[in-house]
Amino acid sequence: MTPPRQRQMILTMFMLSFGYHSDAWRQPNSRSEEVSRLSIVADMAKAAEAAKLHAIFLADSNDAGSIRSNSVRGVSVYEPITTLSALIGHTSKIGLLGTASTTYSQPYRVARQFAGLDLLSDGRAGWNVVTSVSGNRNFGLESMPAPEDRYRRATEFVQVVKALWDSWDADAIVNDRERAIWVESDRVHDINHVGEFFSVQGALNMPRPPQGHPLIVQAGQSPAGIRLGASIADAIYTIQPELDKAISFYDQYKQIVASNGRDPDRVKILPGIMPFVGRTLADAQELAADLANGIEPTAGRAVVARMLDVDIDDLELTDRIPMERLEVTPQRQERWHIYRAMAETQTVGELMVELARAVGHRWMIGTPGMIADSMIEWFDKRACDGFNLNPPSFPDGMDAMLTLLVPELQERGYFQDDYAGDTLRERMGAEPR
């Protein structure tokens, strides 16, 4: 085994019990009958921890649209806080990252939830900060707030949450039985926040989290999202399918982090990837082909239409979408522009497979050595600090990823072969809090 390198990859895994590839759950040996139950996510978490991944990650959504259309990737059926709480008892080292929306919640509640997760897990919790793009009618809103309003609210929201996490001094608990004093009251502080969106007295009604601040993750790629992430986040999830653009994004993002007075080496850029891994290239190609052939055509076309916000009812799978139908407007998300660029060169059928595989994220088909070569190239060229792994299917795709690819990276010294440090923040090299 090659000696560990001074700079090693951060690896996390998207917890998608359906599999990240659309319709992967239809494969004969999937465990789709267990989706929404603890058994399947517990096995996924334990497998990720056995591979020494830094963290598992649960996304979230706030409406049932994709479920009704059976366009499922498993992000809606698991509520993050309850699920991660259950997984604490099935793991001991791996980080537990969960999503909570700043548009549909209140800072005091989110501060308590993630402080609670951090306390119960001995410092392994992390919060994925999102502003949400749908679900407004489930929270009494006739329409989604404007993006600039959502990001202003998010900025203040995180400010309040951090203040609440800091509202207990590290030595507030004295546990003095003789004096009948468990906590020194003058070491628990009100925050008395009054801002544009929130008025919060504080203090938090539970101790300071073991990490100080649970790890914060963010994934916005719009200018407003980048400004938010560069100012608050310890790790950035991003869609980067091309090496040159990933290098540019990495460099520019780190500069913005530094302009906020933060250490750019402490903020980790983690693009998503979907590796189709096989012991041989033929095995990997077979896995990818089986999943592509399993796409339900009507649902596959619907995904293309929805992701690109375009009518394709009159087009054959061999046709390309006329570019004049893909109207560029200021309201378009960054991800939409990535899809539009794909549509310039791909047919409807090719887009159907592309979006089924990774929704714009990079995907690779190959042996452990081939895929490790590519990941190492990106890492060494400073296109990333590691990756968020999207398992194409469960159990086969995930198992191959964890038992074939990860050991290859460990063998070459690019990934940890054991956990180091007491908390997730330490293990990921984030700023001390």
Side-chain angles (χ1 to χ4, degrees):
M1 178 179 289
T2 303
R5 297 166 53 86
Q6 183 174 4
R7 178 174 177 257
Q8 290 187 309
M9 293 181 188
I10 303 295
L11 294 180
T12 65
M13 187 179 82
F14 215 151
M15 290 282 285
L16 296 162
S17 51
F18 283 106
Y20 198 80
H21 193 294
S22 290
D23 292 332
W25 65 273
R26 298 176 65 212
Q27 295 293 307
N29 62 337
S30 80
R31 291 169 56 181
S32 59
E33 61 280 349
E34 296 175 65
V35 170
S36 78
R37 306 302 296 270
L38 179 59
S39 55
I40 189 170
V41 287
D43 285 349
M44 294 178 78
K46 288 186 285 189
E49 184 168 79
K52 310 304 181 186
L53 299 195
H54 289 85
I56 53 174
F57 164 59
L58 276 173
D60 197 21
S61 63
N62 289 286
D63 60 68
S66 63
I67 298 297
R68 282 200 176 106
S69 66
N70 279 294
S71 176
V72 291
R73 292 180 189 266
V75 301
S76 305
V77 298
Y78 285 98
E79 192 285 315
I81 300 300
T82 50
T83 305
L84 294 177
S85 298
L87 292 177
I88 289 171
H90 292 268
T91 57
S92 61
K93 298 287 187 181
I94 197 165
L96 306 168
L97 305 176
T99 299
S101 173
T102 58
T103 300
Y104 300 139
S105 191
Q106 289 292 319
Y108 199 88
R109 173 167 293 180
V110 168
R112 292 191 73 225
Q113 288 172 326
F114 284 94
L117 281 175
D118 210 45
L119 287 158
L120 293 173
S121 67
D122 295 323
R124 295 189 285 135
W127 172 27
N128 177 44
V129 177
V130 300
T131 64
S132 298
V133 294
S134 63
N136 48 286
R137 293 197 174 184
N138 291 324
F139 296 89
L141 301 175
E142 282 301 310
S143 61
M144 285 299 301
E148 58 271 22
D149 294 337
R150 298 202 308 272
Y151 278 108
R152 285 204 326 279
R153 178 185 170 100
T155 299
E156 184 181 342
F157 194 114
V158 175
Q159 176 189 351
V160 176
V161 168
K162 288 183 173 182
L164 289 167
W165 286 337
D166 288 334
S167 64
W168 286 49
D169 293 346
D171 60 353
I173 298 174
V174 293
N175 197 35
D176 189 330
R177 292 180 172 87
E178 196 159 309
R179 292 192 298 148
I181 295 176
W182 184 69
V183 61
E184 293 283 6
S185 60
D186 62 351
R187 299 177 192 174
V188 178
H189 312 281
D190 290 348
I191 67 170
N192 294 318
H193 174 90
V194 178
E196 179 183 2
F197 295 96
F198 306 108
S199 176
V200 181
Q201 177 185 335
L204 203 62
N205 61 349
M206 58 175 57
R208 180 176 174 82
Q211 296 184 91
H213 294 177
L215 196 86
I216 291 181
V217 180
Q218 200 266 345
Q221 289 189 210
S222 67
I226 291 171
R227 286 194 298 272
L228 175 65
S231 65
I232 66 161
D234 303 298
I236 303 297
Y237 284 147
T238 176
I239 297 176
Q240 298 296 331
E242 299 176 28
L243 177 57
D244 289 346
K245 290 181 180 179
I247 292 171
S248 177
F249 178 86
Y250 181 96
D251 179 63
Q252 292 175 19
Y253 209 110
K254 297 281 186 163
Q255 290 183 41
I256 299 171
V257 170
S259 73
N260 279 275
R262 306 179 65 205
D263 181 351
D265 290 336
R266 297 283 197 169
V267 177
K268 310 302 179 180
I269 309 295
L270 306 176
I273 59 169
M274 178 188 283
F276 296 89
V277 189
R279 293 186 184 278
T280 67
L281 178 58
D283 289 342
Q285 290 170 333
E286 182 179 1
L287 172 63
D290 285 346
L291 290 168
N293 292 334
I295 300 169
E296 199 285 311
T298 302
R301 290 176 64 95
V303 169
V304 174
R306 185 175 72 252
M307 294 295 186
L308 280 160
D309 188 24
V310 64
D311 182 3
I312 59 171
D313 287 346
D314 62 325
L315 301 179
E316 301 294 331
L317 293 181
T318 53
D319 293 336
R320 289 186 183 173
I321 302 172
M323 285 295 101
E324 59 268 20
R325 296 190 187 184
L326 300 174
E327 182 183 2
V328 178
T329 68
Q331 289 74 38
R332 296 295 191 190
Q333 290 185 293
E334 185 66 25
R335 186 177 288 201
W336 182 89
H337 292 279
I338 293 173
Y339 303 153
R340 187 182 189 277
M342 293 175 180
E344 292 178 359
T345 60
Q346 296 185 30
T347 66
V348 171
E350 290 167 339
L351 281 169
M352 190 170 76
V353 174
E354 179 75 39
L355 294 178
R357 282 180 172 165
V359 204
H361 287 294
R362 184 166 170 248
W363 53 267
M364 292 169 282
I365 301 173
T367 64
M370 293 167 62
I371 295 177
D373 284 343
S374 180
M375 294 172 70
I376 288 169
E377 180 187 18
W378 278 52
F379 183 72
D380 283 347
K381 289 185 175 179
R382 300 279 176 163
C384 65
D385 295 304
F387 299 90
N388 186 40
L389 301 172
N390 300 326
S393 62
F394 180 79
D396 292 354
M398 187 200 76
D399 289 347
M401 186 179 74
L402 296 180
T403 63
L404 298 176
L405 175 59
V406 173
E408 180 76 17
L409 295 167
Q410 291 168 326
E411 181 69 28
R412 300 193 197 187
Y414 275 87
F415 184 63
Q416 64 185 11
D417 55 16
D418 204 355
Y419 292 101
D422 295 327
T423 67
L424 175 60
R425 182 170 286 279
E426 292 176 78
R427 291 167 186 150
M428 288 188 61
E431 294 172 306
R433 293 297 183 182

